[in-house]
Amino acid sequence: MRGLRAAKAAGVAVEIALIITKRNAHEVSAMRAIAEKYATSFTEYANISPTYEGTPGPLAVQAPGWLDKSEVFRGCPAGHTFFHVDPHGFATMCKVGRENPVNLLTEGLDGLVRLPGIADAQMLRSGGCSGCRLSDTCRVCRPLARVYQAAKAPLEIYCQHGNGDDAP
């Protein structure tokens, strides 16, 4: 709190991410009040993903009733306008889509020109999503859907089929 007060006094623009979980859902009003007082802007996040390796542990802390399923996935500029680099020098389209990494240590920056094609390939509906009649209204990108599938997450967390929405 001391840091937030100092930032506000100094005129620093602060953006706060409010992470809503089972353990703090009862404090959302207080979290919002702090954000409104000290932040330039804030965003609330309740949809928590499995780990990037696909283990389901983080799913257990999601707050029932707070999951946002309203926004349809309309594409992502990952691999086109930004990318992720791990501590070992491997560049991937993003922190979730890690297939076909570019080794910056061996390929150098020239290897980054391959990322748009790699990203486009990872966004294709494949695996458990190929042929899905609801893919035009899907709520998550394909790499994130793969992580949910690897974690054996219940469909209702990330897929409309879990809501019984099987009609096109």
Side-chain angles (χ1 to χ4, degrees):
M1 293 303 300
R2 191 169 54 219
L4 286 173
R5 284 190 290 274
K8 183 172 181 159
V12 175
V14 174
E15 180 178 333
I16 294 178
L18 303 178
I19 312 298
I20 303 167
T21 69
K22 277 186 200 178
R23 295 183 185 109
N24 70 5
H26 65 284
E27 299 171 326
V28 170
S29 295
M31 293 188 304
R32 286 178 182 153
I34 290 169
E36 287 167 357
K37 184 173 181 177
Y38 295 104
T40 308
S41 64
F42 68 93
T43 307
E44 296 178 7
Y45 299 96
N47 294 27
I48 299 171
S49 305
T51 65
Y52 302 130
E53 290 80 29
T55 54
L59 296 174
V61 300
Q62 291 189 120
W66 286 92
L67 300 181
D68 179 14
K69 297 181 184 181
S70 61
E71 208 168 305
V72 173
F73 177 73
R74 299 274 184 227
C76 176
H80 291 266
T81 62
F82 67 88
F83 55 91
H84 174 266
V85 180
D86 73 11
H88 306 287
F90 289 97
T92 54
M93 65 179 267
C94 69
K95 62 185 180 181
V96 177
R98 295 184 178 194
E99 291 180 15
N100 303 312
V102 173
N103 186 335
L104 294 176
L105 300 178
T106 59
E107 294 185 56
L109 295 178
D110 291 337
L112 293 177
V113 300
R114 295 190 301 111
L115 278 181
I118 293 169
D120 291 346
Q122 286 187 60
M123 288 296 186
L124 297 175
R125 294 289 162 188
S126 59
C129 295
S130 58
C132 178
R133 295 180 303 167
L134 302 176
S135 64
D136 288 344
T137 57
C138 195
R139 306 293 192 254
V140 299
C141 68
R142 182 64 192 128
L144 188 54
R146 263 191 225 104
V147 171
Y148 278 113
Q149 289 164 339
K152 300 193 180 346
L155 283 176
E156 63 268 9
I157 291 176
Y158 71 97
C159 178
Q160 297 168 82
H161 286 286
N163 300 327
D165 297 341
D166 292 306

